[in-house]
Amino acid sequence: MKPSTWIVNARPFGGAPMDVRVTGAVIDAIAPHGERQPAPGDTVIDGAGALLLPGFVEGHTHLDKTTWGMPWYRNAVGPRLIDRIENERRWRAESGHDAAAASRALALAFLREGTTRLRTHVDIDTDAGLRHLEGVCDMRAALADVLDMQLVAFPQSGVLKRPGTRELLDAALANGADVLGALDPSSIDGDPAASLDVTFALATKHGKPIDMHLHEPGDLGAFTFDLLLDRVEAHGYQGRVVVSHAFCLGALPDARRGALLERIARANVALLTTAPASVSVPPFRETRAAGVTLFGGNDGIRDAWTPFGSPDMLERAMLIAMRYDLRRDDDLAAAFDCVSIEAARACGFADYGFAPGMRADLVLVDAETVAQAVAMRPPRRFVMANGTPISPEFTR
Amino acid sequence: MKPSTWIVNARPFGGAPMDVRVTGAVIDAIAPHGERQPAPGDTVIDGAGALLLPGFVEGHTHLDKTTWGMPWYRNAVGPRLIDRIENERRWRAESGHDAAAASRALALAFLREGTTRLRTHVDIDTDAGLRHLEGVCDMRAALADVLDMQLVAFPQSGVLKRPGTRELLDAALANGADVLGALDPSSIDGDPAASLDVTFALATKHGKPIDMHLHEPGDLGAFTFDLLLDRVEAHGYQGRVVVSHAFCLGALPDARRGALLERIARANVALLTTAPASVSVPPFRETRAAGVTLFGGNDGIRDAWTPFGSPDMLERAMLIAMRYDLRRDDDLAAAFDCVSIEAARACGFADYGFAPGMRADLVLVDAETVAQAVAMRPPRRFVMANGTPISPEFTR
């Protein structure tokens, strides 16, 4: 029999102390603390009564853009979306920014803070071609034993405006990308029907899910969202589409929002929010009550777009809770769900959760409850990823 | 000659390396690094090229309410303001919460993170009388050598509804409170003219400034604000009033907001924001462009109202920047101003700032620029408060 690792005297989600047995990469037993004895040769890790959580899930980031671990990027960019897109393309070209090295540094920081699955959007454009994707693919392969990463082929400059983008996305989906990205079909591409048709043609050709960034505001965003839903229904893509940001849902008249949420629920489209403080967001309770999955992520972290963001998903859960004015303990636990079970469900990370048979992704922190962990973001006492204990040395 | 302390090779606000001489409690010389030599007997602290900032200023907190350093408070309170007020009064009575001990723990945490001046609102009500104020006054006296604290006599349950409150506020102002607080004269007291008249009668009797919590939304808040400004003008209280929160300014038609901001500027009333993500806030650029001082604070920290908040004012500066979508380096520096120079100006903390003759409140962090310090919130490398180096042991 293979030796196992036991994490003993740990409190899953703040409940009673339990002992957890991990064999290989899988949780294979959970029992009240002290009820079962480790076998000779098993490794025992003392949880010392700490809070035990499943590994965190980052639902939306851009590892390839980050300056993590590099000198501070001094941001003097203009305020418009197009200023930021162009500033970044110029900076990446001029600075010789190494997407693979930067991605690796940030991926390891995520791991150190307890994130074991993540979805990252990788820029595909006619300047860089597939260069960023190739770098991130290599990085993913090197860390595959511990980190489970989904790569999204993301057309940061739109799919229609720069000829050749469609072919690059096609090649990306044939060469390592798990998901097809998309971006503001109306406001960036200026031709939402055509843009969405290209997206669905590519996705269905490769049988890949879709993750669309939709920053478009109010009525425009809702218009685009409906066009997307038409195609979800036409192509039988229910359950295979995420819409990221969806600011529009926070700025519609009640009746319009209610009807759109109902349609989103029927299409089983999930919504990703970074819970930005400065723009409207899909309403928390109403979205969930409609049966729509709402999950969380950082978006970019310390890059040419933003100085903010953190690989600590407990901090993202806190920001989600602050954005939605969630203060009660049960509400803070729901914010944590956004960076754990809900994110795993929306992205389709299999074998996720704290139960026998699931992948052994576990985090210990010193906190009484999940709510306290979200509010205080204590240092990680212990992280296990895919059955491997993560030592601080490993992630440097 | 008294020996001095030199902080050498530190970069004020991210500029060129300087040496700073502190004698007693005062900065008395600033020179380019290496230009001047410490005298025999002087103490030299090596800044190692770190970023040098003035001590931080917390513009609005409630030390007396906190559960800082205590077991986690499990929040199951209802959503309305009145639910929270009543829940807290009940909890404080039932738990025997010790305002002095809790305040002290949090004040020391502020100090450890580099805050050297703060304004704290202390509950005055007919249940507790002046008990919380007495506890906080004793705590202030014990830490007076390092922390400069302003105490606001704060009627958390309003001034009109509970007979005896007015007399208690009168006694508070005669016994250690520096500032008179007030709370939502329309929505809490239900009689804004009478409520404001009581507030101004008490403040002018004692010659004390006013800090009014104004949560009232939109048009109601603007109505109350105008009534306040009438009285600022009538009593010659220009420059002596802070309005905290002022959510209404984020939710008025442009013309109404513009006119109100102009009047606020003329009355030299300052605005405090916690930069909450879930409600409207005074607009950042427009408020400053109108000539109105806008500064920052936490509000409560980990208490019966909220699980959030932190004694790290760099985190508050980050949240301010996130709330206002400030991403450029110069804008992040403006967010830092809200928890330093602007807060000192609004609260009237004298001798504040990085210049000869000012109080020696200094913080060193490892960062290239102020913007990086705000975004990353690095650990404090060194804190000096009123000329005293703060050791970690001191603040435990």
Side-chain angles (χ1 to χ4, degrees), chain A residues 11 14 70-79 84 275-279 302 305-310 315-316 318-319 321-330 332 368-369 371-372 374-377, chain B residues 11 14 70-79 84 275-279 302 305-310 315-316 318-319 321-330 332 368-369 371-372 374-377:
Chain A
R11 296 177 306 103
M70 297 164 54
W72 180 246
Y73 172 78
R74 297 188 188 216
N75 187 325
V77 72
R84 290 170 176 165
S278 60
V279 295
R302 219 168 292 168
W305 291 71
T306 176
F308 305 120
S310 163
E315 181 157 305
R316 185 56 45 185
M318 178 190 80
L319 293 170
M322 292 175 86
R323 180 64 181 89
Y324 289 113
D325 197 25
L326 308 175
R327 306 188 191 190
R328 292 166 51 114
D329 279 45
D330 51 359
L332 291 180
E368 292 175 47
T369 64
Q372 186 178 16
V374 169
M376 293 182 57
R377 303 149 283 154
Chain B
R11 295 177 308 103
M70 297 163 54
W72 180 247
Y73 172 77
R74 298 189 188 216
N75 186 324
V77 72
R84 291 170 176 165
S278 60
V279 294
R302 218 169 291 168
W305 291 71
T306 177
F308 304 121
S310 162
E315 181 157 307
R316 185 56 46 184
M318 179 190 79
L319 293 170
M322 293 176 85
R323 179 65 182 88
Y324 289 113
D325 198 25
L326 307 175
R327 306 188 191 189
R328 292 166 52 115
D329 279 46
D330 52 358
L332 291 180
E368 291 175 48
T369 63
Q372 187 178 14
V374 169
M376 294 182 58
R377 303 149 282 154

Side-chain angles (χ1 to χ4, degrees), chain A residues 26 138 153-154 207 230 242 302 334 358 372 386 396:
Chain A
V26 174
D138 291 349
F154 176 56
D230 292 343
V242 165
R302 219 168 292 168
M358 298 294 118
Q372 186 178 16
N386 200 29
R396 288 271 145 63

Side-chain angles (χ1 to χ4, degrees), chain A residues 244-262:
Chain A
S244 291
H245 311 310
F247 301 150
C248 62
L249 282 163
L252 293 174
D254 288 355
R256 174 81 169 105
R257 181 175 61 234
L260 185 51
L261 279 173
E262 241 178 66

